[in-house]
Amino acid sequence: MSKASSEVAAGAPVDIPKLPKLGRTWYKRGALYWLCRTRTTLFLLILMTGISFFSLALYSGFRDEMPHTVRTVCDCVQAVAACAALVWGWIKQRRSHRQALLDPPSPKQTWIAKRDHNRQAGKSAGFGAAGGRVLIALAAPVMPAFAAYIVGWLAAWTTVREYPSEVGARRWLQEHPSGT
C-alpha cells in the first residue's frame, strides 16, 4: 500500500496529474492540500448539520401527532436506530474505502468517475418536486436513522488518511515516471 508521504523515485521530470477537488496538491500534501481537505470537511459538516436538522424537524412533525406513551416508545426506538445507523454508515464507508485502496483508480479513471457522477447527479435532479415530497413524507418515521447513516458515512469519508484517487495517482506515477 502507498504511503501518504511517498515520493516518486528521482529520475526523469514528472508530470503530476491533477485530481478532482485536489488538483496537484495531493502530491506534496502541503498547506494548500490541507486547505482543500478542510474546505471539503467544512462543507460536509454544514451539509450533515442541515440533513440532521431537516430529518429531526420532519420526524418531530410526524411524532407530534402521536399519543404521549407511543411518542416515548417511538423516540427510544428512533434513538437506538439512529445510533446503530450512524455506526453502520461509518463501518460501511470504511470497508468500502479499504476495498478501494486495494484497487485504486488511475487519474484518468478518477476523472471519468467524477464525470459520470456529475452526469448522474444531473439526471436525478429532475426527479420531480411532487414525487420527492411524497417520498420524504413517507420516510418521516425513519428520517433520523437515515440521516444518521449518511452522517456516519460522510464522517468516515472525511477522516481518511488519503483517498483512493491519491493512492491510484501515486501508483500511476510509479508506473509512468515520465508522465506518459
Side-chain angles (χ1 to χ4, degrees), residues 54 58 127-141 143:
F54 173 77
L58 190 63
F127 180 77
R133 287 185 191 131
V134 169
L135 286 177
I136 288 174
L138 291 174
M143 281 301 286

Side-chain angles (χ1 to χ4, degrees), residues 36-57:
C36 290
R37 292 274 307 251
T38 302
R39 178 192 65 204
T40 300
T41 301
L42 288 175
F43 169 75
L44 289 175
L45 281 172
I46 292 167
L47 181 68
M48 289 186 278
T49 302
I51 288 170
S52 299
F53 178 76
F54 173 77
S55 67
L56 288 173

